[in-house]
Amino acid sequence: VNPSTSQSVLNLLDSDPRWEPWRARLERTLDATLPPAAQTPQTLHAAMRYACLDGGKRLRAIAVYSAGAVFAAPDALLDRAAAAVEMVHAYSLIHDDLPAMDDDDLRRGRPATHRAFSEATAILAGDALQSFAFEVLAADTGIDSAARASMIGCLATAIGPSGMAGGQAMDLDAETRQVDLAELEQIHARKTGALIRASVRLGALAAGASDRNLDALDDFASAVGLAFQIVDDVLDEEGDTATLGKNSGSDREQNKSTYVSLLGIEKARQQALDLHNHALACLDRLSDNAGSDTASLRALSGFAISRSY
Ligand code: IPE
Ligand code: IPE
Ligand code: MG
Ligand code: MG
Ligand code: MG
């Protein structure tokens, strides 16, 4: 945290006691749901499990549980959605690291999936994780079919051409030319923000949130998602590889357009802090069936901007 923002970041809420139990639930769900490595095709299954299990901050799963908690949804109702968003996220990381994309060898402190296995297996593991996530959601019979259909549609939109995949395409395109801040915001909102938004929305949809509350949470999550990627850019510049578990300096090496390359570290951090404050204000718009349990969402926003990894 740089000196100009450290004052305001100092006291922010950046964790919640429920996060570790939620991470443990997620791990159990992933382990039980992913195809066993002993089953054919073994290498594909092993790569899927390698990319998903035992790693990452699990922020998107926590977003699902945190949003559900606002409406007092039981954790068990949210397990499959939490696993689905983490499978999609793991898929996105596998493909993001491929030589044809960011060409990174290290992920979550381990060799990237294409290094631990092969490029072909990594591509297929990503494909399989993406579709498997939808299989998991579709089979979630604990959630009524109308809500389930909304959840599936929400996740599909978030990761398609107008969401994550589109954002990744724009990110690659921006390696070869100068983009302005408005365009970069679009890239970040799509490549990273869309899945974080979908994670919050999935939790709220599973819990039966009203349209008005869904809107407030959408605005909250858009701000958190953008702040999260801004801080990812900052950490790529000033974090160290051991703490990050991925190679720092990768963006500079790949000539990426980032908040740091456009604004510099200090202004990028200030933007993230402004977005955090905006996110908190969005939560004040929650009403009706929303209880007062926004502590975990608040902590999630705080964590997005204060994290060191
Ligand atoms: C990294 O996401 C990729 C981005 C979208 C910025 P995370 O920082 O959430 O990665 P893990 O899951 O903790 O490894
Ligand atoms: C990744 O952004 C976005 C997605 C994976 C969709 P980055 O390329 O900045 O993520 P890291 O820094 O490699 O984790
Ligand atoms: Mg990338
Ligand atoms: Mg990358
Ligand atoms: Mg990055």
Side-chain angles (χ1 to χ4, degrees):
V1 173
N2 79 57
S4 69
T5 52
S6 60
Q7 195 62 30
S8 17
V9 173
L10 208 59
N11 294 319
L12 59 75
L13 188 62
D14 66 355
S15 70
D16 185 281
R18 290 167 286 188
W19 288 6
E20 277 316 310
W22 284 340
R23 286 183 174 119
R25 291 187 75 93
L26 170 75
E27 203 64 30
R28 285 197 301 274
T29 309
L30 287 171
D31 187 35
T33 313
L34 286 164
Q39 189 179 300
T40 307
Q42 293 163 347
T43 308
L44 178 70
H45 294 165
M48 291 167 75
R49 299 180 73 87
Y50 176 85
C52 280
L53 295 174
D54 192 27
K57 297 176 286 293
R58 308 309 201 182
L59 174 123
R60 292 156 192 80
I62 288 171
V64 172
Y65 287 116
S66 304
V70 173
F71 308 96
D75 291 342
L77 195 73
L78 305 162
D79 286 334
R80 281 173 165 261
V85 297
E86 287 292 335
M87 286 177 197
V88 164
H89 172 55
Y91 131 66
S92 80
L93 298 180
I94 297 173
H95 284 193
D96 182 73
D97 288 338
L98 286 169
M101 296 198 56
D102 290 353
D103 192 16
D104 276 313
D105 289 345
L106 187 70
R107 176 62 68 179
R108 295 178 169 171
R110 300 183 296 227
T113 306
H114 68 275
R115 300 292 290 182
F117 293 83
S118 68
E119 270 183 54
T121 296
I123 291 167
L124 291 172
D127 294 343
L129 281 168
Q130 183 188 169
S131 56
F132 196 68
F134 286 98
E135 206 177 314
V136 166
L137 277 184
D140 196 349
T141 50
I143 295 172
D144 76 68
S145 50
R148 223 184 314 156
S150 301
M151 291 165 72
I152 291 168
C154 167
L155 187 59
T157 304
I159 69 176
S162 63
M164 188 173 75
Q168 288 285 68
M170 291 163 73
D171 172 284
L172 293 180
D173 179 59
E175 285 176 8
T176 52
R177 62 190 180 84
Q178 193 67 41
V179 302
D180 62 19
L181 200 58
E183 198 178 345
L184 186 61
E185 187 179 320
Q186 275 301 309
I187 295 173
H188 281 29
R190 290 175 191 218
K191 78 172 187 181
T192 299
L195 183 57
I196 291 176
R197 244 175 96 187
S199 302
V200 168
R201 195 173 179 89
L202 255 52
L205 285 168
S210 68
D211 286 346
R212 183 182 164 165
N213 286 329
L214 286 169
D215 281 350
L217 287 177
D218 247 3
D219 293 344
F220 162 84
S222 299
V224 171
L226 178 57
F228 186 84
Q229 182 62 47
I230 292 175
V231 171
D232 185 82
D233 293 351
V234 168
L235 292 174
D236 191 274
E237 182 70 21
E238 64 173 21
D240 64 277
T241 297
T243 310
L244 292 176
K246 59 187 184 185
N247 289 319
S248 67
S250 169
D251 293 338
R252 193 178 276 276
E253 199 174 302
Q254 299 290 322
N255 197 30
K256 293 286 184 194
S257 293
T258 69
Y259 269 72
V260 174
S261 70
L262 253 66
L263 290 180
I265 297 264
E266 187 160 336
K267 281 198 181 128
R269 279 217 180 267
Q270 187 59 52
Q271 281 264 8
L273 182 61
D274 293 347
L275 285 161
H276 166 65
N277 287 322
H278 177 68
L280 295 186
C282 292
L283 295 179
D284 294 336
R285 287 165 36 208
L286 289 169
S287 66
D288 342 316
N289 58 334
S292 55
D293 188 7
T294 54
S296 183
L297 284 179
R298 286 171 192 276
L300 194 68
S301 179
F303 176 73
I305 64 154
S306 63
R307 68 204 174 94
S308 59
Y309 65 102

